[in-house]
Amino acid sequence: MRKIPALLTTLALAGLGAAVPATTAQAAATCSDNYTSAQSGYMYAYDGTYCENHIGNSASWDSDWGNSSGPFQGNDTNRASSILNKGNNYEVQFFNGTGQDWAGGHICLSRNEAYASDLSDNYFHNGVSANNAISSHRWVSAGSCDSWAT
């Protein structure tokens, strides 16, 4: 009779072990899942890696993510750790500066790439890390891009 409780305990522990890799796989697939459910024509920004903790999304441009106007506002600036592009015709160019002169370092995310799940290994064209450094964005043709997010 003691073999049955031991067997049940072993099966329960094995079941827990199988659940851990599934959870890890789900976290890694978050950008892919978010891309599938994203609205066509929009870009999205996330505070966490793997497209977790949605900051905001936009079908237009925003020259200052930290001001009180536009699709991104207030503390949205310098928070993005992952980005997604489900645009219809253009790439998204992200800047570490603000203003409509579109100065400062930039990095682009193509429609074909779809998303950059961890910006800690991406850099603006001027060599500055893109992680937690995006302050503005606009839609551009591929010819306007010197550096690409991966």
Side-chain angles (χ1 to χ4, degrees):
M1 294 296 265
R2 291 186 183 203
K3 290 183 181 181
I4 292 176
L7 177 63
L8 291 175
T9 301
T10 301
L11 289 174
L13 289 174
L16 285 174
V20 173
T23 303
T24 304
Q26 288 171 345
T30 302
C31 280
S32 178
D33 294 341
N34 287 352
Y35 184 81
T36 300
S37 63
Q39 188 171 354
S40 182
Y42 282 75
M43 59 72 57
Y44 292 74
Y46 302 87
D47 189 12
T49 57
Y50 300 104
C51 301
E52 294 180 351
N53 303 321
H54 180 253
I55 296 172
N57 51 281
S58 174
S60 64
W61 56 273
D62 191 336
S63 63
D64 187 346
W65 285 17
N67 65 10
S68 60
S69 64
F72 291 87
Q73 297 182 8
N75 67 352
D76 294 339
T77 193
N78 299 324
R79 284 184 46 210
S81 290
S82 52
I83 49 179
L84 185 149
N85 179 2
K86 197 159 183 182
N88 294 327
N89 300 309
Y90 297 101
E91 317 326 318
V92 185
Q93 190 173 40
F94 297 92
F95 294 85
N96 67 342
T98 59
Q100 292 183 25
D101 61 346
W102 305 107
H106 68 265
I107 192 169
C108 292
L109 181 62
S110 74
R111 289 169 287 136
N112 293 336
E113 188 67 30
Y115 53 83
S117 60
D118 186 352
L119 290 175
S120 67
D121 59 358
N122 286 262
Y123 296 87
F124 294 111
H125 84 290
N126 61 1
V128 174
S129 174
N131 191 41
N132 294 322
I134 295 174
S135 299
S136 57
H137 79 276
R138 68 179 177 173
W139 297 91
V140 297
S141 66
S144 298
C145 298
D146 296 327
S147 182
W148 296 91
T150 57

